[in-house]
Amino acid sequence: MGTLSFSFDTDKLQKRSDEITKGVDRAPGRSLLYTTGRIKRPADMDKPFIAVCNSYIEIVPGHVHLRELADIAKEEIRKAGGVPFEFNTIGVDDGIAMGHIGMRYSLPSRELIADAAETVINAHWFDGVLFMPNCDKITPGMLMAAARTNVPVVFVSGGPMKAGLDPHGKAITLSNMFEAVGAFKDGKLSREDFLEMEQNACPSCGSCAGMFTANSMNCLMEALGMALPFNGTALAILKQRRELVRQAARRVVAVVKQGLTPREIMTKEAFEDIYAADMAMGGSTNTVLHGLAIAHEAGVDYTEKDINRIAKRTPHIAKIAPSSHWTMEDVHRAGGMPAIMNELIEMGGDVFHPDRPSVTGKTIRENVLGHHSQDEAVIRPVAKAYSPVGGLAVLYGNIAKNGSVIKSAGVDPTITTFTGKAVCFDSHDAAVKGIDGGAVKKGDVVVIRYEGPKGGPGMPEMLNPTADIIERGLEKDVALITDGRFSGATHGICIGHVSTEAASGGEIALIRNGDRIHIDLVRRTVDLLVSDEELRQRRRELPPCTPKVKQGYLARYQALVTSADTGGVMVGYDQLLKAANELQ
């Protein structure tokens, strides 16, 4: 079955929603539509039906205010000539889910969100969608649904939270709170200060205040062309956020009438530009995972190898928490994504493709024209870049033949290579216990495996182990590699997304305690210093991996998910058919 999309013809007034509103046979459905209270009069049946895909959920701080924002949006949609219908998706708060079984549901929730949005949009033939995400997996899940359904859309997120304050009045974010756990365990932080930080690290609604995954994705939506300027940086509590919602609501009705679909915006050049923007701002490593998944849904052929090519030509011009003390409100004050993108555009060459369409009705170039950094300490000019190459890198080697990802912007600039002795753990929990117990020392490379998409299952984040390492003063002296992933709050010599993962027989499963591992950030390699013959012998001795989960959603996810280097997308029909034929 082909992609469900449409072209709005202003003469014939053909709309997707005509499928459920026109003709004698649709009278029962029209009766139900009147019952909802959204249809006030027969003339409303001729207006575009606009879904408001809201991710309001009371246990996620980034989303607790979306109930109010959705009401603002629906009022504006009706004023603009559309009929709004709100529906909700689920959401997982990574910070709350961190360090226990809940984190194994985080990445898989992305697929549920995409599937749920697709289901509602296509089952009810909506003409357009206003997506309202904010946190980690919700934004990419909705972007995947937008690409899949290819119905005209506009995105507006809930915005970042204010930075918190530590007992000394210093700005802090959630990443500082995770690191405070290690400091408290190590006796470096008093109980009183620890409790004060706990109650003040997250002082308002909104996505966590650093350039973590949620804010990285919400910023990159501007570069992609799916959201309005300042979507990624205007704080959740600002009046500007509410005005952005009003503007986005009006724009979605206009985009429907224009007939501009997501796949017209989500081109290969657009994905090159989101990675260029990511390199410039030093965003989360999770953007690699999500960008590849969104490209897959959009039918764009994009791989991790393309990302290194982008990194080589893109300067790193902003270091935001956790890589510095600057927070999202500092980025907004300094000019936000328009200033960052305009800096790249003014470089010229092929660093950025600014003449692409966007949901604003203007090109990306027009969206950011005239925007420059208002604080060069926060957003540097290219001439004063932290590095001439981007803040993310994909590393390859004999333990990452299909790639691995590091946030090079979060590594101390004095470190270009690291060689150390492997200390292996077969789970996140075992690693935390080992680090707390003193099993990890200077010069070690912590290996955490069987935590990939299949092995986890769900590819949980390794924020607790990395935070423990940092707070023990080992940030420059210990590296960590994993087939799991990291929070955007992670920094240090931390390599994730190692592919192929251990649960699928990847080489990371062959590492043994005491093996030496060499990391080269310049050559972008990560290698186990063991002979090929020894690795072949270890593979012969490697026992098969037993699935950790046998029932429920995680069991199904475990069976169908693909590798991190593909974006961790689910196996498609063609792949399932091929596997079935191979079994016959």
Side-chain angles (χ1 to χ4, degrees):
M1 183 176 179
T3 301
L4 296 170
S5 61
F6 83 110
S7 176
F8 191 100
D9 189 320
T10 55
D11 294 325
K12 296 181 181 179
L13 296 177
Q14 292 177 338
K15 310 185 305 300
R16 274 175 48 98
S17 58
D18 289 349
E19 184 68 28
I20 61 172
T21 62
K22 303 298 183 185
V24 173
D25 291 343
R26 295 295 183 252
R30 290 195 294 272
S31 293
L32 293 170
L33 286 167
Y34 281 117
T35 304
T36 66
R38 301 294 118 196
I39 301 298
K40 308 295 184 182
R41 57 190 66 85
D44 286 344
M45 294 289 185
D46 296 323
K47 297 176 180 178
F49 282 15
I50 309 296
V52 177
C53 181
N54 190 5
S55 50
Y56 167 73
I57 178 171
E58 290 185 339
I59 199 168
V60 183
H63 294 242
V64 293
H65 59 308
L66 294 185
R67 171 74 267 111
E68 173 201 350
L69 298 188
D71 286 340
I72 292 171
K74 287 188 290 184
E75 181 181 353
E76 289 298 322
I77 288 169
R78 194 169 287 280
K79 286 179 182 177
V83 181
F85 296 85
E86 183 182 354
F87 72 93
N88 277 74
T89 67
I90 64 164
V92 171
D93 186 297
D94 281 22
I96 297 172
M98 193 72 66
H100 51 82
I101 186 64
M103 179 47 66
R104 303 185 189 281
Y105 283 94
S106 175
L107 182 60
S109 74
R110 186 188 71 180
E111 314 309 312
L112 287 176
I113 290 162
D115 290 351
E118 173 201 351
T119 299
V120 176
I121 292 164
N122 282 345
H124 302 100
W125 290 87
F126 281 108
D127 299 304
V129 186
L130 180 67
F131 283 101
M132 301 185 70
N134 210 29
C135 291
D136 297 76
K137 311 309 164 296
I138 295 104
T139 297
M142 288 185 179
L143 283 166
M144 290 166 67
R148 191 185 299 174
T149 56
N150 205 32
V151 173
V153 305
V154 173
F155 278 75
V156 61
S157 59
M161 69 169 60
K162 279 183 64 64
L165 294 174
D166 73 4
H168 307 290
K170 179 183 175 183
I172 57 172
T173 69
L174 186 66
S175 66
N176 299 109
M177 196 62 237
F178 275 97
E179 291 163 12
V181 172
F184 179 65
K185 287 179 180 178
D186 229 23
K188 297 177 181 177
L189 187 66
S190 70
R191 180 177 179 80
E192 292 74 20
D193 284 355
F194 182 70
L195 292 176
E196 185 173 341
M197 285 183 67
E198 177 182 317
Q199 294 170 42
N200 292 283
C202 301
S204 76
C205 62
S207 45
C208 297
M211 190 61 82
F212 312 142
T213 304
N215 290 327
S216 295
M217 290 303 305
N218 291 330
C219 284
L220 294 184
M221 282 198 292
E222 295 181 46
L224 187 60
M226 299 301 291
L228 307 185
F230 300 105
N231 174 77
T233 57
L235 295 191
I237 59 174
L238 294 180
K239 289 181 180 179
Q240 184 180 0
R241 176 58 54 182
R242 281 139 189 82
E243 182 55 32
L244 270 173
V245 172
R246 293 186 183 94
Q247 292 174 10
R250 293 192 292 269
R251 279 305 308 165
V252 73
V253 177
V255 167
V256 167
K257 293 179 179 178
Q258 181 185 350
L260 180 65
T261 60
R263 291 193 182 191
E264 293 177 74
I265 295 173
M266 295 183 185
T267 61
K268 183 156 188 173
E269 290 77 17
F271 284 98
E272 292 206 340
D273 287 352
I274 68 167
Y275 284 119
D278 204 3
M279 300 298 176
M281 70 186 193
S284 165
T285 53
N286 283 319
T287 57
V288 175
L289 195 70
H290 300 322
L292 293 174
I294 297 161
H296 171 80
E297 295 292 353
V300 174
D301 183 17
Y302 213 88
T303 69
E304 284 188 339
K305 291 181 179 179
D306 293 310
I307 294 170
N308 269 347
R309 176 172 50 82
I310 301 300
K312 288 179 181 178
R313 69 191 191 202
T314 307
H316 178 206
I317 61 175
K319 273 184 182 281
I320 317 303
S323 301
S324 75
H325 65 280
W326 303 117
T327 65
M328 294 308 295
E329 55 192 301
D330 295 312
V331 181
H332 187 63
R333 172 180 52 79
M337 284 305 293
I340 292 173
M341 289 191 285
N342 198 41
E343 194 68 31
L344 298 181
I345 291 169
E346 291 185 350
M347 283 182 65
D350 57 357
V351 175
F352 214 77
H353 307 84
D355 298 314
R356 299 182 288 106
S358 76
V359 296
T360 66
K362 301 177 182 178
T363 64
I364 301 295
R365 185 194 301 274
E366 290 170 327
N367 288 341
V368 306
L369 186 65
H371 289 276
H372 296 93
S373 177
Q374 303 301 303
D375 185 342
E376 293 187 357
V378 181
I379 300 173
R380 292 187 175 187
V382 168
K384 297 179 180 178
Y386 288 100
S387 167
V389 298
L392 293 174
V394 179
L395 312 184
Y396 292 90
N398 66 353
I399 50 176
K401 292 184 176 179
N402 290 330
S404 60
V405 180
I406 186 168
K407 186 174 182 175
S408 51
V411 180
D412 188 282
T414 63
I415 298 170
T416 56
T417 63
F418 187 92
T419 303
K421 182 179 66 176
V423 181
C424 300
F425 303 99
D426 288 346
S427 72
H428 165 280
D429 293 352
V432 171
K433 185 177 180 180
I435 295 167
D436 285 349
V440 175
K441 299 176 176 60
K442 284 186 178 182
D444 287 344
V445 178
V446 176
V447 178
I448 308 177
R449 56 199 176 190
Y450 295 100
E451 294 287 20
K454 281 186 180 296
M459 204 179 181
E461 292 181 346
M462 302 292 125
L463 181 54
N464 286 346
T466 59
D468 280 354
I469 288 169
I470 289 167
E471 278 308 313
R472 282 168 171 74
L474 299 173
E475 180 178 356
K476 298 181 185 179
D477 303 303
V478 168
L480 187 150
I481 68 171
T482 178
D483 52 10
R485 59 191 178 89
F486 299 118
S487 162
T490 290
H491 54 112
I493 316 168
C494 300
I495 301 169
H497 305 203
V498 171
S499 299
T500 302
E501 63 172 295
S504 295
E507 283 72 17
I508 190 173
L510 306 179
I511 303 172
R512 293 181 179 175
N513 286 327
D515 286 346
R516 293 185 67 74
I517 295 173
H518 179 67
I519 299 163
D520 191 322
L521 298 182
V522 177
R523 296 177 58 206
R524 304 193 175 191
T525 57
V526 53
D527 286 297
L528 180 63
L529 304 182
V530 172
S531 70
D532 291 344
E533 177 55 38
E534 172 64 17
L535 290 179
R536 284 192 288 270
Q537 178 59 35
R538 291 183 187 183
R539 181 168 294 287
R540 288 190 286 268
E541 299 170 359
L542 187 68
C545 181
T546 303
K548 294 177 183 175
V549 182
K550 302 295 178 62
Q551 63 180 10
Y553 173 54
L554 286 184
R556 296 194 298 276
Y557 178 85
Q558 185 175 247
L560 296 174
V561 71
T562 61
S563 175
D565 65 293
T566 66
V569 297
M570 304 291 270
V571 171
Y573 174 78
D574 291 343
Q575 293 163 294
L576 284 173
L577 187 62
K578 179 182 177 182
N581 290 335
E582 289 174 351
L583 289 173
Q584 292 178 355

